[in-house]
Amino acid sequence: MAKPNKKGPTKTIDIFCQGCGAQLYKYRKGGKGALVKCFKERIVEDFTTTPCQCPNCDKEFARETMVRGTPAYKFIGGKVWSK
Protein backbone atom coordinates (compact mmCIF):
# COMPACT_ATOMS: atom_id res chain seq x y z
CA MET A 1 0.00 0.00 0.00
CA ALA A 2 1.05 3.56 -0.61
CA LYS A 3 2.21 5.84 2.18
CA PRO A 4 -0.10 8.69 3.22
CA ASN A 5 0.51 12.02 1.53
CA LYS A 6 2.89 14.08 3.72
CA LYS A 7 1.24 17.38 2.83
CA GLY A 8 -2.18 15.89 3.35
CA PRO A 9 -5.52 17.66 3.34
CA THR A 10 -5.97 21.30 4.27
CA LYS A 11 -9.13 20.82 6.37
CA THR A 12 -8.37 20.54 10.10
CA ILE A 13 -10.47 18.99 12.84
CA ASP A 14 -10.22 19.27 16.62
CA ILE A 15 -9.96 16.01 18.59
CA PHE A 16 -11.25 15.95 22.18
CA CYS A 17 -11.22 13.48 25.11
CA GLN A 18 -14.62 11.80 25.55
CA GLY A 19 -14.26 11.61 29.34
CA CYS A 20 -13.36 15.16 30.31
CA GLY A 21 -13.66 17.15 27.06
CA ALA A 22 -10.05 18.36 26.97
CA GLN A 23 -8.64 19.17 23.52
CA LEU A 24 -5.99 16.67 22.45
CA TYR A 25 -5.02 17.51 18.85
CA LYS A 26 -5.64 19.78 15.92
CA TYR A 27 -5.36 17.35 12.98
CA ARG A 28 -5.45 17.46 9.16
CA LYS A 29 -7.97 14.72 8.34
CA GLY A 30 -8.69 13.47 4.84
CA GLY A 31 -11.89 11.80 3.68
CA LYS A 32 -15.29 11.69 5.32
CA GLY A 33 -15.04 8.42 7.23
CA ALA A 34 -14.89 7.81 10.95
CA LEU A 35 -11.85 8.87 12.99
CA VAL A 36 -9.93 5.61 13.52
CA LYS A 37 -6.28 6.65 13.40
CA CYS A 38 -4.17 9.76 13.39
CA PHE A 39 -0.87 9.99 11.48
CA LYS A 40 1.77 11.78 13.57
CA GLU A 41 3.02 13.83 10.62
CA ARG A 42 -0.47 15.32 10.07
CA ILE A 43 -0.89 16.65 13.62
CA VAL A 44 -0.87 20.46 13.46
CA GLU A 45 -1.06 21.16 17.22
CA ASP A 46 -0.44 18.64 20.01
CA PHE A 47 -1.98 19.53 23.40
CA THR A 48 -0.89 16.29 25.15
CA THR A 49 2.14 16.07 27.43
CA THR A 50 2.50 12.26 27.29
CA PRO A 51 1.74 10.43 24.03
CA CYS A 52 -1.69 8.72 23.97
CA GLN A 53 -2.72 10.06 27.39
CA CYS A 54 -5.19 12.84 28.14
CA PRO A 55 -3.43 15.76 29.87
CA ASN A 56 -6.51 16.46 32.01
CA CYS A 57 -7.77 13.05 33.23
CA ASP A 58 -4.66 10.87 32.45
CA LYS A 59 -6.74 8.22 30.64
CA GLU A 60 -5.25 6.37 27.67
CA PHE A 61 -7.14 7.21 24.46
CA ALA A 62 -4.90 5.66 21.76
CA ARG A 63 -2.02 3.27 21.04
CA GLU A 64 1.13 3.98 19.07
CA THR A 65 1.42 1.86 15.92
CA MET A 66 2.78 1.76 12.38
CA VAL A 67 0.28 2.14 9.54
CA ARG A 68 1.66 1.59 6.01
CA GLY A 69 5.19 2.21 7.32
CA THR A 70 4.27 5.55 8.92
CA PRO A 71 4.00 6.19 12.70
CA ALA A 72 0.42 6.76 13.82
CA TYR A 73 -1.90 6.73 16.83
CA LYS A 74 -4.77 4.24 16.66
CA PHE A 75 -7.71 5.46 18.73
CA ILE A 76 -9.48 3.22 21.23
CA GLY A 77 -13.20 3.09 20.44
CA GLY A 78 -15.33 5.62 22.30
CA LYS A 79 -12.40 7.47 23.92
CA VAL A 80 -12.28 10.51 21.59
CA TRP A 81 -14.64 12.70 19.59
CA SER A 82 -13.98 15.28 16.89
CA LYS A 83 -15.43 18.56 15.72
Side-chain angles (χ1 to χ4, degrees):
M1 289 183 104
K3 284 191 172 187
N5 187 355
K6 278 191 195 308
K7 245 186 162 179
T10 55
K11 181 186 164 203
T12 61
I13 61 168
D14 296 323
I15 302 171
F16 299 92
C17 175
Q18 185 71 46
C20 65
Q23 187 170 3
L24 304 171
Y25 302 121
K26 190 174 281 270
Y27 178 68
R28 291 193 325 255
K29 183 183 183 313
K32 54 188 175 210
L35 186 66
V36 177
K37 64 185 169 292
C38 171
F39 291 107
K40 290 182 184 180
E41 61 192 24
R42 287 190 183 177
I43 295 173
V44 179
E45 280 185 75
D46 187 355
F47 298 101
T48 61
T49 50
T50 320
C52 302
Q53 283 205 321
C54 176
N56 208 16
C57 62
D58 285 332
K59 288 187 180 173
E60 185 181 28
F61 61 86
R63 293 186 184 94
E64 291 190 61
T65 185
M66 293 289 275
V67 178
R68 292 183 243 139
T70 307
Y73 297 126
K74 201 152 197 184
F75 295 118
I76 300 168
K79 298 282 185 173
V80 296
W81 64 279
S82 62
K83 177 164 82 166

